[in-house]
Amino acid sequence: MQAHTPAPAPGFYNANIAPGNQIPYGYSQQGPGTYQGFSDVGSYGFQPQAMDGPAGYAVPPIQNQPIMNERTIWMPVPPSLPNCPPGLEYLTQIDQILIHQQTELLEILSGFVANNKYEIKNVLGQRVYFAVEENDCCTRNCFGPSRAFTIRIIDNLGHEVITLQRPCRCSLCCFPCCLQELEVQAPPGTTVGYVVQNWHICLPKFTIQDENRKDILKIIGPCVVCRCCEDVHFEVKSLDETATIGRISKQWTGLVKEVFTGADNFGIAFPMDLDVKMKAVLLGACFLIDFMFFEHAGE
């Protein structure tokens, strides 16, 4: 019987015409209904999950196949590729990423700002990476969403494959000399690109740069990013801003969750053949956008 292709997440291209709609190497041939805990991939497939893992942010290791435990399904480990930073091979096989911020009960009940944690999945609901913010208590609770941070992105083998570093800067349009910037390293210690905020009187605008500070892509958001009952889209455009090649989407998760929790859901769509390093930089751009416009804890 022919495998069922799950519907794309909200805000993404039609699965029948999107690049990479064929199931690539290593993906399970089962439909999403066969996965435990992911009965609705079409609406991001995010369910509350217990995050059990060893210390040091490491996640349970796998041997070329996803671990099928009660809650977590892993994306299979892809083969090593030449000229690809170790750990980014996963990104060569996908053109859409789903990001789910973990809900912290202590933060909800007390208002205490905890380090952010994120699950990064493919459209089949398989976990690709796990991301953890590294910060001290004083910085988180005094500077709120404007805080400097380091986010460490861990692969299925427990290896840190991407490091995101954001200095403390102002994002207000009245301070054009001190705008936001994010450095993306893959592997840690090797810079592959930057996300640089561009000054604009009303639009959120960013430039994606490579490791040599050469401009590669643009990201343009809507004039009003706080919208009720609908998704918010940041378009990934060519350098001259004439062609849209991808999208970073903040999913509306419902009034109760939006008001009472700090957990956000995002999706990223990009061309399958985009440079894998630029895919990693777009992933970093999503975290920067989350902190700048949707992170309200500590305000």
Coordinates of all heavy atoms in Angstrom, one line a residue, residues 160-236:
E160 N 27.0 18.6 20.3 CA 26.7 20.0 20.0 C 27.1 20.3 18.6 O 28.3 20.3 18.3 CB 27.3 21.0 21.0 CG 27.0 22.4 20.7 CD 27.6 23.4 21.7 OE1 28.2 22.9 22.7 OE2 27.6 24.6 21.5
V161 N 26.2 20.6 17.7 CA 26.5 20.8 16.3 C 26.4 22.3 15.8 O 27.0 22.6 14.8 CB 25.6 19.9 15.4 CG1 25.9 18.4 15.7 CG2 24.2 20.2 15.6
I162 N 25.6 23.0 16.5 CA 25.4 24.5 16.2 C 25.4 25.3 17.5 O 24.8 24.9 18.5 CB 24.1 24.7 15.4 CG1 24.0 23.9 14.2 CG2 23.9 26.2 15.1 CD1 22.6 24.0 13.5
T163 N 26.1 26.4 17.5 CA 26.1 27.3 18.6 C 25.6 28.7 18.1 O 26.1 29.2 17.1 CB 27.5 27.5 19.2 OG1 27.9 26.2 19.7 CG2 27.4 28.4 20.4
L164 N 24.6 29.3 18.8 CA 24.1 30.6 18.5 C 24.5 31.6 19.6 O 24.3 31.3 20.7 CB 22.6 30.6 18.3 CG 22.0 29.5 17.4 CD1 20.5 29.5 17.5 CD2 22.5 29.6 16.0
Q165 N 25.1 32.7 19.2 CA 25.6 33.7 20.2 C 25.0 35.0 19.8 O 25.2 35.5 18.7 CB 27.1 33.7 20.2 CG 27.7 32.5 20.8 CD 29.2 32.6 21.0 OE1 29.9 33.4 20.4 NE2 29.8 31.7 21.8
R166 N 24.3 35.6 20.8 CA 23.7 36.9 20.6 C 24.2 37.8 21.7 O 24.0 37.6 22.9 CB 22.2 36.8 20.7 CG 21.4 38.1 20.7 CD 20.1 38.0 21.4 NE 19.2 39.2 21.3 CZ 18.1 39.4 21.9 NH1 17.7 38.5 22.8 NH2 17.4 40.4 21.7
P167 N 24.8 39.0 21.3 CA 25.2 40.0 22.4 C 24.0 40.8 22.8 O 23.0 40.8 22.1 CB 26.2 40.8 21.6 CG 25.8 40.7 20.2 CD 25.3 39.3 20.0
C168 N 24.1 41.5 23.9 CA 23.1 42.3 24.4 C 23.1 43.6 23.6 O 24.0 44.4 23.7 CB 23.2 42.6 25.9 SG 21.9 43.5 26.6
R169 N 22.0 43.8 22.8 CA 21.9 45.0 22.0 C 20.4 45.5 22.0 O 19.5 44.8 22.3 CB 22.4 44.8 20.6 CG 23.9 44.6 20.5 CD 24.3 44.5 19.0 NE 25.7 44.4 18.9 CZ 26.4 44.3 17.7 NH1 25.7 44.4 16.6 NH2 27.7 44.2 17.7
C170 N 20.2 46.8 21.5 CA 18.9 47.3 21.5 C 18.3 47.0 20.1 O 19.0 47.0 19.1 CB 19.0 48.8 21.7 SG 17.4 49.7 21.7
S171 N 17.0 46.8 20.1 CA 16.3 46.5 18.8 C 15.3 47.6 18.4 O 14.6 47.5 17.5 CB 15.5 45.2 18.9 OG 14.6 45.2 20.0
L172 N 15.3 48.7 19.2 CA 14.3 49.8 18.9 C 14.8 50.6 17.7 O 16.0 50.8 17.4 CB 14.2 50.8 20.1 CG 13.7 50.1 21.4 CD1 13.7 51.2 22.5 CD2 12.3 49.6 21.2
C173 N 13.8 51.0 16.9 CA 14.1 51.8 15.6 C 14.8 53.1 15.9 O 15.4 53.7 15.0 CB 12.9 52.0 14.8 SG 11.6 53.0 15.6
C174 N 14.7 53.6 17.1 CA 15.3 54.9 17.5 C 16.8 54.8 17.8 O 17.4 55.7 18.1 CB 14.5 55.6 18.6 SG 14.3 54.6 20.1
F175 N 17.3 53.5 17.8 CA 18.7 53.3 18.1 C 19.3 52.5 16.9 O 19.7 51.4 17.1 CB 18.9 52.5 19.4 CG 18.5 53.3 20.6 CD1 17.3 53.1 21.2 CD2 19.4 54.2 21.2 CE1 16.9 53.8 22.3 CE2 19.0 54.9 22.3 CZ 17.8 54.7 22.9
P176 N 19.5 53.1 15.7 CA 19.9 52.4 14.6 C 21.4 52.0 14.6 O 21.9 51.2 13.8 CB 19.7 53.4 13.4 CG 19.7 54.8 14.1 CD 19.1 54.5 15.4
C177 N 22.1 52.6 15.6 CA 23.6 52.3 15.7 C 23.8 51.0 16.6 O 25.0 50.7 16.7 CB 24.3 53.5 16.2 SG 23.8 54.0 17.9
C178 N 22.8 50.4 17.2 CA 23.0 49.3 18.1 C 22.0 48.3 17.9 O 21.2 47.9 18.8 CB 23.0 49.9 19.5 SG 23.6 48.7 20.8
L179 N 21.9 47.8 16.7 CA 20.8 46.8 16.3 C 21.3 45.4 16.6 O 22.4 45.1 16.9 CB 20.5 47.0 14.8 CG 19.9 48.3 14.5 CD1 19.6 48.4 13.0 CD2 18.6 48.6 15.2
Q180 N 20.3 44.5 16.5 CA 20.5 43.1 16.9 C 21.5 42.4 15.9 O 21.5 42.7 14.7 CB 19.2 42.3 17.0 CG 18.3 42.8 18.1 CD 18.8 42.5 19.4 OE1 19.4 41.4 19.6 NE2 18.6 43.4 20.4
E181 N 22.2 41.4 16.4 CA 23.1 40.6 15.6 C 23.2 39.2 16.3 O 23.2 39.1 17.5 CB 24.4 41.2 15.4 CG 25.4 40.4 14.5 CD 26.7 41.1 14.2 OE1 26.6 42.2 13.6 OE2 27.7 40.6 14.6
L182 N 23.2 38.2 15.4 CA 23.4 36.8 15.9 C 24.5 36.1 15.1 O 24.5 36.2 13.9 CB 22.1 36.0 15.8 CG 22.1 34.6 16.3 CD1 21.9 34.6 17.8 CD2 21.0 33.8 15.6
E183 N 25.4 35.5 15.8 CA 26.5 34.7 15.2 C 26.1 33.2 15.2 O 25.7 32.7 16.3 CB 27.8 34.9 15.8 CG 29.0 34.2 15.2 CD 30.3 34.4 15.9 OE1 30.3 35.2 16.8 OE2 31.3 33.7 15.6
V184 N 26.3 32.5 14.1 CA 26.0 31.1 14.0 C 27.3 30.4 13.7 O 28.0 30.7 12.8 CB 25.0 30.8 12.9 CG1 24.6 29.3 12.8 CG2 23.7 31.6 13.1
Q185 N 27.5 29.4 14.6 CA 28.8 28.6 14.5 C 28.4 27.1 14.3 O 27.5 26.6 14.9 CB 29.6 28.7 15.8 CG 30.1 30.1 16.1 CD 30.8 30.2 17.4 OE1 31.0 29.1 18.1 NE2 31.2 31.4 17.8
A186 N 29.0 26.5 13.3 CA 28.8 25.1 13.0 C 30.0 24.4 12.4 O 30.3 24.8 11.2 CB 27.5 24.9 12.1
P187 N 30.7 23.6 13.1 CA 30.5 23.2 14.5 C 30.9 24.4 15.4 O 31.4 25.4 14.9 CB 31.5 22.0 14.7 CG 32.5 22.3 13.7 CD 31.9 22.9 12.5
P188 N 30.7 24.2 16.7 CA 31.1 25.3 17.7 C 32.5 25.8 17.5 O 33.4 25.0 17.4 CB 30.9 24.6 19.1 CG 29.8 23.6 18.8 CD 30.1 23.1 17.4
G189 N 32.7 27.1 17.4 CA 34.0 27.7 17.2 C 34.3 28.0 15.7 O 35.2 28.7 15.5
T190 N 33.5 27.5 14.8 CA 33.6 27.8 13.4 C 32.4 28.6 12.9 O 31.3 28.0 12.8 CB 33.8 26.5 12.6 OG1 34.9 25.8 13.0 CG2 34.0 26.8 11.1
T191 N 32.6 29.9 12.6 CA 31.5 30.7 12.2 C 31.1 30.4 10.8 O 31.9 30.3 9.9 CB 31.9 32.2 12.3 OG1 32.3 32.5 13.6 CG2 30.7 33.1 11.8
V192 N 29.8 30.2 10.6 CA 29.3 29.9 9.2 C 28.4 31.1 8.7 O 28.0 31.1 7.5 CB 28.5 28.6 9.1 CG1 29.4 27.4 9.4 CG2 27.3 28.6 10.1
G193 N 28.0 32.0 9.6 CA 27.2 33.1 9.1 C 26.7 34.0 10.3 O 26.9 33.7 11.4
Y194 N 26.0 35.0 9.8 CA 25.4 36.0 10.8 C 24.0 36.4 10.4 O 23.6 36.3 9.2 CB 26.3 37.3 10.8 CG 27.7 37.1 11.2 CD1 28.7 36.7 10.2 CD2 28.1 37.2 12.5 CE1 30.0 36.6 10.6 CE2 29.5 37.1 12.9 CZ 30.4 36.7 11.9 OH 31.7 36.6 12.2
V195 N 23.2 36.8 11.4 CA 21.9 37.4 11.2 C 22.0 38.8 11.7 O 22.3 39.0 12.9 CB 20.8 36.6 11.9 CG1 19.4 37.3 11.6 CG2 20.8 35.1 11.6
V196 N 21.8 39.8 10.8 CA 22.0 41.2 11.2 C 20.7 41.9 11.0 O 20.1 41.9 9.9 CB 23.1 41.8 10.3 CG1 23.3 43.3 10.7 CG2 24.4 41.0 10.5
Q197 N 20.3 42.6 12.0 CA 19.1 43.4 11.9 C 19.4 44.7 11.1 O 20.4 45.3 11.3 CB 18.5 43.8 13.3 CG 17.2 44.6 13.3 CD 16.8 45.2 14.6 OE1 17.6 45.1 15.6 NE2 15.6 45.7 14.7
N198 N 18.5 45.0 10.2 CA 18.6 46.3 9.4 C 17.6 47.3 9.9 O 16.5 47.0 10.3 CB 18.2 46.0 7.9 CG 19.1 44.9 7.3 OD1 18.6 44.0 6.6 ND2 20.4 44.9 7.6
W199 N 18.1 48.5 10.0 CA 17.2 49.6 10.5 C 16.1 49.9 9.5 O 16.3 50.0 8.3 CB 18.0 50.9 10.7 CG 17.2 51.9 11.4 CD1 17.0 52.1 12.7 CD2 16.5 53.0 10.7 NE1 16.2 53.2 12.9 CE2 15.9 53.7 11.7 CE3 16.3 53.3 9.4 CZ2 15.0 54.8 11.4 CZ3 15.5 54.4 9.1 CH2 14.9 55.2 10.1
H200 N 14.9 50.0 10.0 CA 13.7 50.4 9.3 C 12.7 51.0 10.2 O 12.6 50.5 11.3 CB 13.1 49.2 8.5 CG 12.1 49.6 7.4 ND1 10.8 49.9 7.7 CD2 12.3 49.7 6.1 CE1 10.2 50.2 6.6 NE2 11.1 50.1 5.6
I201 N 12.0 52.0 9.8 CA 11.1 52.7 10.6 C 9.9 51.9 11.1 O 9.4 52.1 12.2 CB 10.6 54.0 9.9 CG1 9.9 54.9 10.9 CG2 9.7 53.6 8.7 CD1 10.8 55.4 12.0
C202 N 9.5 50.9 10.3 CA 8.3 50.2 10.7 C 8.4 48.7 10.4 O 7.6 47.9 11.1 CB 7.0 50.7 10.0 SG 7.1 50.7 8.2
L203 N 9.2 48.2 9.6 CA 9.3 46.8 9.2 C 10.4 46.1 9.9 O 11.6 46.6 10.0 CB 9.4 46.6 7.7 CG 8.2 47.0 6.8 CD1 8.6 46.8 5.4 CD2 7.0 46.2 7.2
P204 N 10.2 44.9 10.4 CA 11.4 44.0 10.9 C 12.1 43.5 9.7 O 11.6 42.8 8.8 CB 10.7 42.9 11.6 CG 9.2 43.3 11.8 CD 8.9 44.2 10.7
K205 N 13.4 43.9 9.6 CA 14.2 43.5 8.4 C 15.5 43.0 8.9 O 16.1 43.5 9.8 CB 14.4 44.6 7.4 CG 13.1 45.2 6.8 CD 13.3 46.2 5.8 CE 13.9 45.6 4.5 NZ 14.0 46.6 3.4
F206 N 16.0 41.9 8.3 CA 17.3 41.3 8.6 C 18.0 40.9 7.4 O 17.4 40.6 6.3 CB 17.0 40.0 9.5 CG 16.3 40.3 10.7 CD1 14.9 40.2 10.7 CD2 16.9 40.5 11.9 CE1 14.1 40.4 11.9 CE2 16.2 40.7 13.1 CZ 14.8 40.7 13.1
T207 N 19.3 40.8 7.5 CA 20.2 40.3 6.4 C 20.9 39.1 6.9 O 21.4 39.0 8.0 CB 21.2 41.4 6.0 OG1 20.6 42.5 5.5 CG2 22.1 40.8 4.9
I208 N 20.9 38.0 6.0 CA 21.6 36.8 6.3 C 23.0 36.9 5.6 O 23.0 37.2 4.4 CB 20.8 35.6 5.7 CG1 19.5 35.4 6.4 CG2 21.7 34.3 5.9 CD1 19.5 35.2 7.9
Q209 N 24.0 36.8 6.4 CA 25.4 36.9 5.8 C 26.1 35.6 6.0 O 25.8 34.8 6.9 CB 26.1 38.0 6.6 CG 25.5 39.4 6.4 CD 26.3 40.4 7.2 OE1 26.9 40.1 8.2 NE2 26.2 41.7 6.8
D210 N 27.1 35.3 5.1 CA 28.0 34.2 5.3 C 29.1 34.5 6.2 O 29.1 35.5 6.9 CB 28.5 33.7 3.9 CG 29.4 34.7 3.2 OD1 29.9 35.7 3.9 OD2 29.7 34.5 2.0
E211 N 30.0 33.5 6.4 CA 31.1 33.7 7.3 C 32.0 34.8 7.0 O 32.7 35.3 7.9 CB 31.9 32.4 7.4 CG 32.7 32.0 6.2 CD 31.8 31.1 5.2 OE1 30.6 31.2 5.3 OE2 32.5 30.4 4.4
N212 N 32.0 35.3 5.8 CA 32.9 36.4 5.4 C 32.1 37.8 5.4 O 32.6 38.8 4.8 CB 33.4 36.2 4.0 CG 34.3 35.0 3.9 OD1 35.2 34.7 4.8 ND2 34.1 34.1 2.9
R213 N 30.9 37.8 6.0 CA 30.1 39.0 6.1 C 29.5 39.4 4.7 O 29.2 40.5 4.6 CB 30.9 40.1 6.7 CG 31.3 39.9 8.2 CD 30.1 40.2 9.1 NE 30.4 40.2 10.5 CZ 29.6 40.5 11.5 NH1 28.3 40.8 11.2 NH2 30.0 40.4 12.7
K214 N 29.5 38.5 3.8 CA 28.9 38.8 2.5 C 27.4 38.6 2.6 O 26.9 37.6 3.1 CB 29.4 37.9 1.4 CG 28.8 38.1 0.1 CD 29.4 37.1 -1.0 CE 28.7 37.3 -2.3 NZ 29.2 36.3 -3.3
D215 N 26.6 39.6 2.2 CA 25.1 39.5 2.2 C 24.7 38.4 1.3 O 25.1 38.3 0.1 CB 24.5 40.8 1.8 CG 24.8 41.9 2.8 OD1 25.3 41.6 3.9 OD2 24.5 43.1 2.5
I216 N 23.7 37.5 1.8 CA 23.3 36.4 1.0 C 21.7 36.5 0.8 O 21.3 36.3 -0.3 CB 23.6 35.0 1.7 CG1 25.1 34.9 1.9 CG2 23.1 33.9 0.8 CD1 25.9 34.9 0.6
L217 N 21.0 36.7 1.8 CA 19.5 36.7 1.8 C 19.0 37.8 2.7 O 19.7 38.4 3.5 CB 18.9 35.4 2.3 CG 19.3 34.1 1.5 CD1 18.8 32.9 2.3 CD2 18.6 34.1 0.1
K218 N 17.7 38.1 2.5 CA 17.0 39.1 3.3 C 15.8 38.4 4.0 O 15.2 37.4 3.5 CB 16.5 40.3 2.5 CG 17.6 41.1 1.8 CD 18.2 42.1 2.9 CE 19.1 43.0 2.2 NZ 19.7 44.0 3.1
I219 N 15.5 38.9 5.2 CA 14.2 38.5 5.8 C 13.4 39.7 6.1 O 13.9 40.7 6.7 CB 14.5 37.7 7.2 CG1 15.4 36.5 6.9 CG2 13.2 37.4 7.9 CD1 15.8 35.8 8.2
I220 N 12.1 39.7 5.7 CA 11.3 40.9 5.9 C 10.0 40.4 6.6 O 9.3 39.5 6.2 CB 10.9 41.5 4.6 CG1 12.2 42.0 3.9 CG2 10.0 42.8 4.8 CD1 11.9 42.6 2.5
G221 N 9.7 41.0 7.8 CA 8.5 40.7 8.5 C 7.4 41.7 8.3 O 7.6 42.7 7.6
P222 N 6.2 41.4 8.9 CA 5.1 42.4 8.7 C 5.3 43.6 9.6 O 6.0 43.6 10.6 CB 3.9 41.5 9.2 CG 4.5 40.6 10.2 CD 5.9 40.3 9.7
C223 N 4.5 44.6 9.3 CA 4.6 45.9 10.1 C 4.1 45.7 11.5 O 4.7 46.2 12.4 CB 3.8 47.0 9.4 SG 3.8 48.6 10.2
V224 N 3.1 44.8 11.7 CA 2.6 44.5 13.0 C 2.8 43.0 13.2 O 2.2 42.2 12.5 CB 1.1 44.9 13.1 CG1 0.6 44.5 14.5 CG2 0.8 46.3 12.8
V225 N 3.7 42.7 14.2 CA 4.0 41.3 14.4 C 3.1 40.6 15.5 O 3.1 39.4 15.6 CB 5.5 41.1 14.8 CG1 6.4 41.6 13.7 CG2 5.8 41.9 16.1
C226 N 2.4 41.4 16.2 CA 1.5 40.9 17.3 C 0.1 40.8 16.7 O -0.6 41.8 16.8 CB 1.6 41.7 18.5 SG 3.2 41.8 19.3
R227 N -0.2 39.6 16.2 CA -1.6 39.5 15.6 C -2.3 38.4 16.4 O -1.8 37.4 16.8 CB -1.4 39.0 14.1 CG -0.7 40.1 13.3 CD -0.7 39.7 11.8 NE 0.0 40.7 11.0 CZ 0.1 40.5 9.7 NH1 -0.3 39.5 9.1 NH2 0.8 41.5 9.0
C228 N -3.6 38.6 16.5 CA -4.4 37.7 17.3 C -5.1 36.7 16.3 O -5.6 37.1 15.3 CB -5.5 38.5 18.1 SG -6.5 37.5 19.1
C229 N -5.1 35.5 16.7 CA -5.8 34.4 16.0 C -5.3 34.1 14.6 O -6.0 33.6 13.7 CB -7.3 34.7 15.9 SG -8.0 34.9 17.5
E230 N -4.0 34.5 14.3 CA -3.5 34.1 13.0 C -2.0 34.0 13.1 O -1.3 34.5 14.0 CB -3.9 35.1 11.9 CG -3.4 36.5 12.1 CD -3.8 37.5 11.0 OE1 -5.0 37.8 10.9 OE2 -2.9 37.9 10.2
D231 N -1.4 33.3 12.1 CA 0.0 33.1 12.1 C 0.7 34.4 11.6 O 0.1 35.2 10.9 CB 0.4 32.0 11.1 CG -0.1 30.6 11.5 OD1 -0.6 30.5 12.7 OD2 -0.1 29.7 10.7
V232 N 2.0 34.5 12.0 CA 2.8 35.7 11.6 C 3.9 35.2 10.7 O 4.7 34.3 11.1 CB 3.3 36.5 12.8 CG1 4.1 37.7 12.3 CG2 2.2 36.9 13.7
H233 N 4.1 35.8 9.5 CA 5.1 35.3 8.6 C 6.2 36.3 8.3 O 5.9 37.5 8.1 CB 4.4 34.9 7.2 CG 3.3 33.9 7.3 ND1 3.4 32.7 7.9 CD2 2.0 34.0 7.0 CE1 2.3 32.0 7.8 NE2 1.4 32.8 7.3
F234 N 7.4 35.8 8.4 CA 8.6 36.5 8.0 C 9.1 35.9 6.7 O 9.5 34.8 6.7 CB 9.7 36.5 9.1 CG 9.3 37.2 10.3 CD1 8.4 36.7 11.2 CD2 9.8 38.4 10.7 CE1 8.0 37.3 12.4 CE2 9.5 39.1 11.8 CZ 8.6 38.6 12.7
E235 N 9.1 36.7 5.6 CA 9.4 36.2 4.3 C 11.0 36.2 4.1 O 11.6 37.2 4.4 CB 8.8 37.0 3.2 CG 7.2 37.1 3.3 CD 6.6 35.7 3.1 OE1 7.2 34.8 2.5 OE2 5.4 35.6 3.5
V236 N 11.5 35.1 3.6 CA 12.9 35.0 3.3 C 13.0 35.3 1.8 O 12.4 34.6 0.9 CB 13.5 33.6 3.5 CG1 14.9 33.5 3.1 CG2 13.3 33.2 5.0

